Amino acid sequence: MTKRRAPITAAELTAKLQANPDFLARQKEREQAFAERVARNRAEEAPLLLELRSVGLEIQALSDLVNTSAKYDVAIPILLRHLLLPYSDSMREFIARSLAVPEARQAWPTLIAEYRKASMGVGDNGFRLGAKDGLACALSATATEAVMDDLVALAKDRTNGSSRLLLLSALKKSKS
């Protein structure tokens, strides 16, 4: 039989953790790793942001495109060109998610080719790879009735893993 511990408040737990040097050291390591990851991501996206700004898009980060309802047709060719460059998986995911807009429909052949090439699994940093998911979002957003057979084939292909779930919204909207 296990002994039950007396419940403690959040304030008590916080005080206990703040007094624990091992916890503080681990917390500092996590914060440092996060800051380094943010700095790497900012440096990696800088050339793309510069190019997007040159066509009038005043954004501070690529995630600004993903989180806007404004149209950015002028960015589609730039995003497509950068999608084909050798970026990190997380950067490719953001670029792909930025292409998850109906205005990127002409990019279907490129998106499907990149989706088929994208890896699944876990990266060197221990995080799940996300480019395939980002590409699945882009495929789902750009799908038309003309490409439903391709989309169905991708959704049926088990080698595409859980990213296939992101294709279902487009299939649900299909008339066929």
Side-chain angles (χ1 to χ4, degrees), residues 58 68 96 107 111 120 125:
E58 292 303 319
T68 186
L111 295 172
M120 295 185 323
N125 58 7

Side-chain angles (χ1 to χ4, degrees), residues 10-37:
E12 291 169 332
L13 176 60
T14 300
K16 194 174 187 178
L17 290 172
Q18 293 302 318
N20 181 332
D22 291 336
F23 171 80
L24 293 174
R26 285 191 312 270
Q27 184 179 34
K28 186 175 181 177
E29 284 176 24
R30 282 190 303 269
E31 289 171 357
Q32 180 66 31
F34 178 75
E36 288 170 3
R37 206 167 44 249

Side-chain angles (χ1 to χ4, degrees), residues 79-87 92 95 110 114 117:
L79 293 167
L80 269 174
R81 191 169 54 259
H82 281 266
L83 180 66
L84 301 176
L85 296 176
Y87 284 111
R92 286 179 43 79
I95 294 170
T110 302
E114 291 302 305
K117 290 191 297 190

Side-chain angles (χ1 to χ4, degrees), residues 28 61 63 124 142 147-148:
K28 186 175 181 177
S63 59
D124 296 338
T142 59
V147 298
M148 278 304 134

Side-chain angles (χ1 to χ4, degrees), residues 2-156:
T2 60
K3 290 185 180 181
R4 294 186 139 242
R5 294 185 199 173
I8 63 172
T9 66
E12 291 169 332
L13 176 60
T14 300
K16 194 174 187 178
L17 290 172
Q18 293 302 318
N20 181 332
D22 291 336
F23 171 80
L24 293 174
R26 285 191 312 270
Q27 184 179 34
K28 186 175 181 177
E29 284 176 24
R30 282 190 303 269
E31 289 171 357
Q32 180 66 31
F34 178 75
E36 288 170 3
R37 206 167 44 249
V38 167
R40 275 193 313 273
N41 290 346
R42 289 206 188 277
E44 187 177 25
E45 74 179 346
L48 174 54
L49 292 177
L50 189 62
E51 195 169 343
L52 291 171
R53 288 181 189 132
S54 76
V55 294
L57 289 173
E58 292 303 319
I59 58 173
Q60 301 307 309
L62 194 52
S63 59
D64 293 347
L65 288 180
V66 175
N67 297 320
T68 186
S69 59
K71 293 190 184 302
Y72 46 89
D73 302 21
V74 68
I76 303 300
I78 296 167
L79 293 167
L80 269 174
R81 191 169 54 259
H82 281 266
L83 180 66
L84 301 176
L85 296 176
Y87 284 111
S88 68
D89 180 77
S90 61
M91 183 69 172
R92 286 179 43 79
E93 179 182 8
F94 269 113
I95 294 170
R97 287 182 187 273
S98 298
L99 289 164
V101 292
E103 296 79 26
R105 283 197 170 115
Q106 78 279 4
W108 178 269
T110 302
L111 295 172
I112 197 168
E114 291 302 305
Y115 178 79
R116 287 180 174 138
K117 290 191 297 190
S119 299
M120 295 185 323
V122 177
D124 296 338
N125 58 7
F127 290 102
R128 185 175 164 281
L129 296 175
K132 193 157 189 95
D133 286 354
L135 288 159
C137 289
L139 288 171
S140 188
T142 59
T144 63
E145 288 298 321
V147 298
M148 278 304 134
D149 290 342
D150 289 336
L151 201 64
V152 168
L154 292 175
K156 285 183 175 181

